[in-house]
Each structure stands twice: as structure tokens, then as C-alpha cells.
């Protein structure tokens, strides 16, 4: 079954710009039943449970993961043998929270929560070796990402299909214009969207 599972990042939601643009594009193509973009729990163990359930519903979706969602997507892609598109993905995020434990606020929902050592431990449990079958991974990076150093992902995903663009930011500028590539990677026929102007999203 041709389908997409969109995996948002830390303190994000399906209301984020990228998720919203993807949802609107899929709605235009009348493919909403073949997309899941769950609002993930802040704790990694519960988030992974949600994502495992979505994979069970969709069959063999293309995993599209942004930031921390890219880390989740890599774990799930290796576990299930799925294809993945990773957008400015986090690499070993459990090693990058020094000094950041404590209160957090979701940028979109306003939810407040505590980032704890248990969150970090749960993230460490999801660490996997670099992809053994790199042909299944497409990685989109922008060099001016202000949150994550793109070179970490460049090194970790060496051998995968890397698309590195100068400038941009962590949210990934120009995402809407690249939605046809995502739909194509997921296996949807180009005829479905050829009349649609993605720049309007």
C-alpha cells in the first residue's frame, strides 16, 4: 500500500509548517487515508508506540522524519526494512541534551512538560548503527540549520542519498516545492498532482 507516515520533531506537532503543507497536498490529491501525521507524546517510548501503531495501520509507509522525527524514523526504518526520507535529522540526540533538562514547552500546542533523564535514556535505547542498506534512505540537509550541525548527519548517513543545500534553516526552507519528490518517493503516480501548484501551500 502506498502511504506516508510523517514524524515531527521535539516540541513540534502536526500543525507545524512542513506537516501542514504535506497534509494539504495529500488532501488535494484525495489521499488523506494514506497519510498519518500523529501528534507524538513527548516521551520517546510512548511516541514509538504511537508510530508502531501507525505503521501497522499503513502497512509499509514511506517514513518522513524531521529533526528528532528523523532519529525515530531511522530506528523504525531499520526495524521494519522501510524507506525513509529524513529532513535535518537529529543524530544521537541523547548526547546533546546537556544543560537542557527541565521544563519544556511545545511550540504549537502550548503543552508544558519536563525533560528528564528517563527521556534521555529512552532516546539512547533507540540508537542504531549507520544504515546497512543506504539505498533506502534519502537525507535532506540545509547547512545553516541553527539547531543541529548538519555535518553530524552528513557523516552518519554517508553512503545514503544525501541532498545538502547551502543556507536554509532547521525548519527546512523550500519544503513545499519539494513535496512532489516526497509523493514520488512514496510511490504515488505523478498524474495525481501534476495540476497542483505546491508553491501556494
Amino acid at each position: 500500500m502506498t502511504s506516508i507516515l510523517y514524524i515531527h520533531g521535539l516540541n513540534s506537532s502536526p500543525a507545524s509548517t512542513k506537516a501542514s503543507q504535506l497534509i494539504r497536498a495529500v488532501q488535494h490529491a484525495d489521499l488523506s487515508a494514506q497519510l498519518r501525521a500523529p501528534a507524538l507524546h513527548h516521551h520517546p517510548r510512548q511516541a514509538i508506540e504511537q508510530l508502531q501503531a501507525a505503521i501497522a495501520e499503513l502497512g509499509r509507509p514511506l517514513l518522513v522524519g524531521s529533526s528528532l522525527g528523523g532519529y525515530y524514523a531511522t530506528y523504525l526504518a531499520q526495524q521494519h526494512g522501510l524507506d525513509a526520507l529524513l529532513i535535518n535529522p537529529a543524530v544521537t540526540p541523547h548526547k546533546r541534551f546537556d544543560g537542557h533538562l527541565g521544563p519544556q514547552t511545545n511550540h504549537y500546542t502550548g503543552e508544558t512538560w519536563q525533560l528528564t533523564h528517563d527521556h534521555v535514556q529512552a532516546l539512547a535505547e533507540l540508537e542504531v548503527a549507520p544504515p546497512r542498506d543506504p539505498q533506502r534512505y534519502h537525507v535532506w540537509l540545509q547547512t545553516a540549520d541553527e539547531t543541529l550541525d548538519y555535518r553530524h548527519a552528513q557523516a552518519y548517513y554517508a553512503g545514503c542519498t544525501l541532498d545538502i543545500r547551502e543556507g536554509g534553516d532547521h525548519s527546512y526552507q523550500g519544503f513545499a516545492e519539494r513535496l512532489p519528490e516526497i509523493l514520488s518517493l512514496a510511490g504515488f503516480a505523478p498524474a495525481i498532482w501534476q495540476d497542483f501548484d505546491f508553491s501556494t501551500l
Side-chain angles (χ1 to χ4, degrees):
M1 179 180 179
T2 304
S3 56
I4 297 172
L5 174 55
Y6 182 84
I7 308 173
H8 67 69
L10 182 69
N11 285 327
S12 189
S13 88
S16 68
T17 300
K18 290 191 297 296
S20 298
Q21 289 171 333
L22 176 59
I23 289 167
R24 288 197 296 273
V26 167
Q27 287 173 338
H28 167 79
D30 198 25
L31 298 169
S32 295
Q34 289 155 271
L35 171 70
R36 297 289 183 279
L40 297 177
H41 195 278
H42 58 76
H43 198 289
R45 293 192 190 98
Q46 289 172 259
I48 289 294
E49 285 183 10
Q50 292 175 268
L51 294 167
Q52 297 282 23
I55 290 170
E57 287 180 14
L58 293 170
R60 296 189 57 77
L62 171 70
L63 305 178
V64 179
S66 171
S67 191
L68 185 62
Y71 182 70
Y72 290 160
T74 300
Y75 169 80
L76 293 165
Q78 295 214 29
Q79 183 181 61
H80 295 283
L82 298 173
D83 291 350
L85 168 63
L86 313 173
I87 303 161
N88 287 331
V91 175
T92 59
H94 48 288
K95 298 178 181 178
R96 308 187 193 284
F97 280 129
D98 286 349
H100 296 288
L101 298 181
Q104 301 282 321
T105 302
N106 187 295
H107 305 308
Y108 295 90
T109 67
E111 177 194 13
T112 57
W113 56 281
Q114 294 287 323
L115 178 63
T116 68
H117 286 291
D118 192 55
H119 286 79
V120 176
Q121 176 58 36
L123 288 173
E125 292 166 4
L126 300 175
E127 184 177 0
V128 292
R132 296 179 301 277
D133 39 6
Q135 72 281 0
R136 292 194 291 102
Y137 296 81
H138 288 72
V139 185
W140 293 359
L141 304 173
Q142 291 189 333
T143 62
D145 185 336
E146 72 283 4
T147 302
L148 299 172
D149 186 334
Y150 80 96
R151 291 170 295 187
H152 294 146
Q154 181 183 23
Y156 179 85
Y157 295 101
C160 300
T161 302
L162 286 169
D163 182 309
I164 303 173
R165 304 205 170 184
E166 293 294 322
D169 58 23
H170 188 59
S171 69
Y172 199 90
Q173 293 297 310
F175 178 75
E177 288 79 5
R178 303 200 68 180
L179 282 167
E181 296 174 66
I182 297 176
L183 295 173
S184 180
L185 283 172
F188 294 110
I192 294 172
W193 68 81
Q194 61 187 8
D195 65 335
F196 187 62
D197 181 1
F198 287 89
S199 67
T200 64
L201 292 172

